[in-house]
Every structure is written in C-alpha cells, then in structure tokens.
Amino acid sequence: MYHIVCYGDSNTWGDCPLGGRWPYEVRWPGVLQALLGKEFLVHEEGINGRTTVFDDPMGGTYRNGLKGLGYVLSTHGPIDVLVFMLGTNDTKENLNASPYAIAKGMETLVTLTEHFEYPQQQGVRHILIVSPIAIGDRIMDVPRFRTYGPTAPEKSRRLAPLYQEVARNHHCAFFDASTVAGPSEEDQLHMMEPGHKALAEALAPLIRSLALKS
C-alpha cells in the first residue's frame, strides 16, 4: 500500500465557506482517496490557520507548520508522497512576511523533511509542493478575514513561481493549485466543492506517478 500525506491548512482541513466543515468525501484529500483507490492510503493532516514556519499570535496555538511537521513524519512513515500545501496564512498582515520569506518557509519544511531522523529509517520517498489557491481580491470585505490585510491577495499570487524554484532546487514535484481552483465568492479564501474536486483530479495522476516511481 502506498501512503500519501497531505500537510496543509484550512483548505486541506476542509473549511466550508458556508459554515462548518466539508464532509470527508468532498474534501480534496477524500476525493483523492477515492480516485487513487485501495492501493493508496491518503492521510489528512490539515489544520485551520497553519503557516509554514511562523508563530501567529492571532491565529491560535499549534499552527506553526515547522513545529508540527516532525510529529507527522514520525507518525506516518514510511511515506511515499508528502504533499505540502501551505502559505496562505503566511500572507497575513501581522506576520509581515514577504513572498520570498514565505517561500523560504516552505523550503525550510522541505529541508527538515530531507534531513529528519526517521524512526526505523522509514522516510519520505517523494515531496510534492503545491502552491495554494490565490486569495480573493475582496478579502477585506469579509469581516472575519480582514486581519489578512489588503496586500494578502497579491502576495498569494506571487508564491507559485517562488515555490516552483524551491521544488526545482530540491528535486521535488510541483503543482500550482490556482491553475484549477480558486476561492469562493462567499469568503474569498476557501474552496467550494468544485474546487476540491478539481484539485484532487489534477493531483491524482501526479501523485500516482510519483508513488509508482522507483
């Protein structure tokens, strides 16, 4: 059996723009599981507000992706494909992180994965970096997300080429989620059901190819 780990934020957790959480069969990791079939086991590791490496005093505890990654690597090994989809929360105004700093945060996660001391040598075979969907231009019209600030949409749109460079430098696979999905009109941040489906359908053949690669 091939083990796939999806390490992400609220769009991996399945935050529904209409309230609550999308059911498992709607969330993109759940759709991915259905597409890949019984030879694969997709592990969801998403949490609302997670950043790459930043502590966010307004975002809640346990949200720093770097601090949580070691637990995930230790829990799920051996991992055939580790999927990173983070960076959206790093664009928040209070964190004051440039797109370059956010990309460096992603690179830090990749580097930890490459050099981690895995239990019983059960490491990660392949890493897939997914640049997250862009934040909607009307994010400041959504009261609960005004803390992102007016620069967040532009920052989010600049991540893809920077993440692609990180992937190239570390021999990782790369995919830009914004090429197939976008934020909802309702909250300008989270995907509706068609977005989850489109993302899973785009990632499935890439993940299958990576897992089957020797």
Side-chain angles (χ1 to χ4, degrees):
M1 179 174 284
Y2 299 101
H3 291 264
I4 315 301
V5 174
C6 304
Y7 195 66
D9 52 31
S10 54
N11 268 316
T12 297
W13 182 83
D15 196 307
C16 176
L18 306 178
R21 186 184 190 186
W22 290 114
Y24 176 74
E25 63 271 15
V26 172
R27 304 194 295 266
W28 72 264
V31 179
L32 182 65
Q33 176 67 78
L35 292 170
L36 292 175
K38 294 181 179 180
E39 286 186 286
F40 292 77
L41 182 58
V42 177
H43 304 272
E44 284 186 322
E45 286 289 349
I47 184 172
N48 292 355
R50 179 179 277 152
T51 66
T52 56
V53 300
F54 300 103
D55 288 315
D56 181 2
M58 296 194 302
T61 54
Y62 314 113
R63 300 303 198 267
N64 184 319
L66 181 62
K67 293 179 178 178
L69 181 57
Y71 297 105
V72 171
L73 296 177
S74 298
T75 299
H76 294 298
I79 299 169
D80 294 286
V81 183
L82 173 60
V83 184
F84 286 121
M85 191 170 78
L86 289 168
T88 299
N89 295 297
D90 303 48
T91 66
K92 290 179 180 177
E93 191 170 42
N94 67 298
L95 296 180
N96 197 33
S98 69
Y100 297 97
I102 298 170
K104 187 63 178 180
M106 176 58 72
E107 185 173 33
T108 300
L109 297 179
V110 171
T111 300
L112 173 61
T113 303
E114 292 172 334
H115 298 286
F116 190 71
E117 294 184 9
Y118 293 93
Q120 301 180 13
Q121 305 300 311
Q122 295 187 347
V124 174
R125 293 179 55 232
H126 301 286
I127 298 172
L128 168 58
I129 298 174
V130 178
S131 180
I133 63 169
I135 295 172
D137 288 329
R138 294 191 297 103
I139 190 74
M140 296 299 290
D141 295 338
V142 184
R144 70 186 181 114
F145 293 141
R146 285 175 183 162
T147 53
Y148 278 82
T151 63
E154 175 61 21
K155 282 185 181 180
S156 70
R157 288 192 290 267
R158 293 175 60 190
L159 292 180
L162 299 175
Y163 277 23
Q164 189 170 27
E165 183 178 1
V166 172
R168 184 165 49 246
N169 291 339
H170 288 265
H171 306 288
C172 303
F174 171 79
F175 185 78
D176 181 1
S178 67
T179 60
V180 296
S184 68
E185 288 296 319
E186 285 77 8
D187 74 2
Q188 299 289 296
L189 194 68
H190 298 111
M191 293 184 291
M192 294 294 283
E193 184 172 353
H196 281 273
K197 183 174 184 290
L199 179 59
E201 289 176 342
L203 292 180
L206 177 55
I207 289 173
R208 182 184 298 275
S209 175
L210 290 171
L212 297 179
K213 186 183 297 183
S214 60

